[in-house]
Amino acid sequence: SQTIPRLSKYLTDSANHTNKRLAISRYQRYVFSCFTPSITATMSPSLKSKSSQMKSFKCQVCDQLTFFENLSCVRCQHDLGYIPEDHNLATLDQNDEQLWQPVDGHPRGLTFKKCKNTLDWHACNWLIPATSSDIYCRSCALNNTIPDLSVTENIPLWIKLEQGKRRLLYSLLRLGLPVVGKGIDQKHGLAFNFLKDLKDDFQETQRVMTGHSAGLITLNLAEADDAEREKRRLNMNEVYRSVLGHFRHESGHYYWQHLIADTQKITGYRKLFGDERENYDKAMANYYQVGATPDWREKHVTAYASSHSWEDWAETWAHYLNIVDSLETATDHGVIITNNQSGQSFSPIDSYWATSFDELLEKWLPLTYALNSINRSSGQSDLYPFVLSRPVIEKLHYVHDVIRNARFS
């Protein structure tokens, strides 16, 4: 009985707004709050006051749980857009100028436009400030080459690569690392090539090699094909292979050039990771012919990390990003280990702002033990198939310190 009078009030009030749809959206949110239970993740009481973090967000109209990749709310169908400067997935309304704004307004009064890859391909949900002349968002603007999208089978694979890239960029931006495209800084900037093999058969000497060179990260489009990627994982005798893992690894090579090479950090780096001046081509040829060193588990996070100093760094860097991002996701969903078997209590933290790696490690290890145990109880392989030896932990400490120094320098 209260609905119609309140609707009339909201519509009357909307006469004072330039956008009546915004007023209706506010009323729609009221209706949802009255008649529909909210769908949210169960949170630890100590986290309920925190703003939404990576991987889960909430529609500001109907309180539906939303996710980083979503283009629209599955319940109320409102458009969603990610604002990278705010690390926020916003519920959107369109104003009379055909621009987009959060339904609650933006703290700085900003309006936005959608990325061209959103409009053309529904392949992106990142927003661009309306005052910018750019037509591509901060993520898509980093593309140097993308696959031929006139080939229909390429489109879903390309979209999957773009999703992985945006998740990488989320982590890099949350860590306060510089992300500058080659369009701004040709010498030191970052760019991406997404290329497709000319042949279907896989060899490690294939034409398109996933890798990094002078700020250009190349990914083979085939890595976005789950079946093909699994075949390659088995051929390479790897315990873990993912699109996001590739992005994290190759970004490690990029940031090694900018944070360690030709700096005073190189001495400490060589003590932990070895001498990067060792002939790279020779070392890699030896790895593919002979395999990893027999004692690699004692010193490295993966077998591939034993191939060369640069690969040890990139694998450790990627593992660090995996830890901070996974911890944030777990914490945001209320999946936290409050104490261990000895009774030691743990408090939730923002993993992207941890003062020391020890803070992360004391949360990470108990969580992985629990997750692996759950998987084994279900008859599945370990979700986290890694062992962190003391030398590996020291390397992760080093990565943490390098990133933290870059943030505050």
Side-chain angles (χ1 to χ4, degrees):
S1 61
Q2 299 295 320
T3 301
I4 299 302
R6 285 183 181 271
L7 176 58
S8 176
K9 177 181 183 300
Y10 271 81
L11 292 178
T12 301
D13 290 346
S14 73
N16 297 322
H17 293 273
T18 58
N19 182 6
K20 294 186 178 181
R21 188 183 174 207
L22 179 58
I24 295 173
S25 293
R26 289 173 178 165
Y27 174 74
Q28 188 179 20
R29 180 171 25 174
Y30 162 75
V31 172
F32 274 118
S33 68
C34 288
F35 298 109
T36 313
S38 124
I39 301 175
T40 57
T42 301
M43 298 286 289
S44 166
S46 59
L47 294 176
K48 288 184 179 178
S49 62
K50 295 188 68 175
S51 60
S52 293
Q53 297 182 0
M54 175 55 166
K55 309 301 190 302
S56 70
F57 300 88
K58 187 172 66 173
C59 175
Q60 287 92 55
V61 169
C62 69
D63 284 343
Q64 169 68 38
L65 186 68
T66 59
F67 297 92
F68 185 63
E69 293 86 3
N70 287 162
L71 292 167
S72 63
C73 174
V74 297
R75 180 196 278 174
C76 70
Q77 304 304 312
H78 265 74
D79 288 66
L80 302 174
Y82 185 74
I83 306 172
E85 294 78 13
D86 300 338
H87 310 299
N88 181 43
L89 185 66
T91 307
L92 304 173
D93 268 318
Q94 196 170 26
N95 64 21
D96 292 340
E97 288 77 35
Q98 303 302 304
L99 298 175
W100 298 89
Q101 61 193 42
V103 293
D104 284 334
H106 189 270
R108 298 188 298 280
L110 300 180
T111 55
F112 300 88
K113 55 186 179 181
K114 293 186 176 183
C115 175
K116 192 173 189 299
N117 281 336
T118 307
L119 302 174
D120 293 349
W121 302 101
H122 301 285
C124 176
N125 66 349
W126 282 28
L127 298 175
I128 308 167
T131 54
S132 172
S133 61
D134 295 333
I135 60 173
Y136 290 104
C137 71
R138 192 169 183 179
S139 174
C140 294
L142 298 176
N143 289 342
N144 183 63
T145 306
I146 63 172
D148 181 359
L149 299 183
S150 68
V151 180
T152 304
E153 66 184 25
N154 289 346
I155 297 174
L157 301 179
W158 167 63
I159 290 176
K160 186 175 290 187
L161 292 185
E162 292 290 352
Q163 290 174 342
K165 171 157 65 77
R166 289 195 295 274
R167 282 184 173 256
L168 168 70
L169 294 177
Y170 171 90
S171 293
L172 300 180
L173 294 171
R174 285 280 280 122
L175 289 168
L177 291 167
V179 179
V180 179
K182 285 190 173 293
I184 298 175
D185 187 341
Q186 180 61 36
K187 183 177 180 180
H188 302 105
L190 178 64
F192 293 87
N193 276 349
F194 299 147
L195 306 178
K196 185 176 181 179
D197 284 328
L198 296 180
K199 297 182 179 180
D200 292 334
D201 58 314
F202 168 67
Q203 298 178 357
E204 195 58 33
T205 56
Q206 62 192 303
R207 181 179 178 86
V208 176
M209 291 289 292
T210 292
H212 166 267
S213 178
L216 181 61
I217 291 176
T218 299
L219 255 72
N220 192 321
L221 187 67
E223 292 291 346
D225 184 312
D226 293 340
E228 179 61 27
R229 189 176 63 255
E230 177 63 10
K231 184 174 76 172
R232 296 182 181 205
R233 185 189 71 80
L234 295 173
N235 286 341
M236 299 301 297
N237 194 30
E238 297 171 339
V239 297
Y240 177 90
R241 190 181 185 103
S242 70
V243 169
L244 183 53
H246 281 306
F247 277 112
R248 287 169 172 163
H249 175 98
E250 301 307 334
S251 74
H253 289 301
Y254 172 74
Y255 283 101
W256 184 89
Q257 289 186 331
H258 296 284
L259 302 180
I260 297 176
D262 302 321
T263 72
Q264 295 180 350
K265 297 184 183 71
I266 197 67
T267 301
Y269 167 86
R270 287 172 181 162
K271 288 180 179 178
L272 292 171
F273 295 91
D275 195 335
E276 82 288 353
R277 293 168 294 188
E278 176 191 3
N279 187 285
Y280 180 80
D281 292 337
K282 183 178 179 180
M284 297 309 297
N286 181 71
Y287 174 78
Y288 287 120
Q289 291 173 8
V290 179
T293 58
D295 62 345
W296 70 264
R297 290 179 179 83
E298 300 175 13
K299 304 176 182 178
H300 307 283
V301 70
T302 65
Y304 187 62
S306 70
S307 61
H308 187 272
S309 169
W310 281 335
E311 300 305 338
D312 193 10
W313 161 264
E315 287 287 90
T316 307
W317 171 277
H319 208 85
Y320 178 84
L321 295 185
N322 180 32
I323 289 173
V324 295
D325 199 35
S326 298
L327 275 176
E328 183 187 51
T329 303
T331 302
D332 187 42
H333 283 278
V335 183
I336 57 176
I337 305 298
T338 56
N339 59 73
N340 59 19
Q341 293 181 349
S342 66
Q344 180 183 3
S345 298
F346 301 118
S347 300
I349 62 169
D350 184 340
S351 56
Y352 280 103
W353 285 91
T355 304
S356 71
F357 184 70
D358 285 336
E359 289 183 67
L360 299 174
L361 195 64
E362 73 174 7
K363 311 283 187 304
W364 180 242
L365 292 180
L367 179 62
T368 60
Y369 299 156
L371 293 175
N372 284 349
S373 296
I374 292 171
N375 261 34
R376 293 179 186 185
S377 296
S378 302
Q380 301 297 320
S381 301
D382 286 351
L383 182 64
Y384 182 73
F386 302 96
V387 176
L388 301 184
S389 65
R390 174 49 56 185
V392 170
I393 291 174
E394 290 177 0
K395 293 172 184 177
L396 288 166
H397 270 280
Y398 181 85
V399 171
H400 176 87
D401 292 341
V402 166
I403 291 174
R404 187 169 173 81
N405 289 339
R407 165 174 266 166
F408 293 108
S409 63

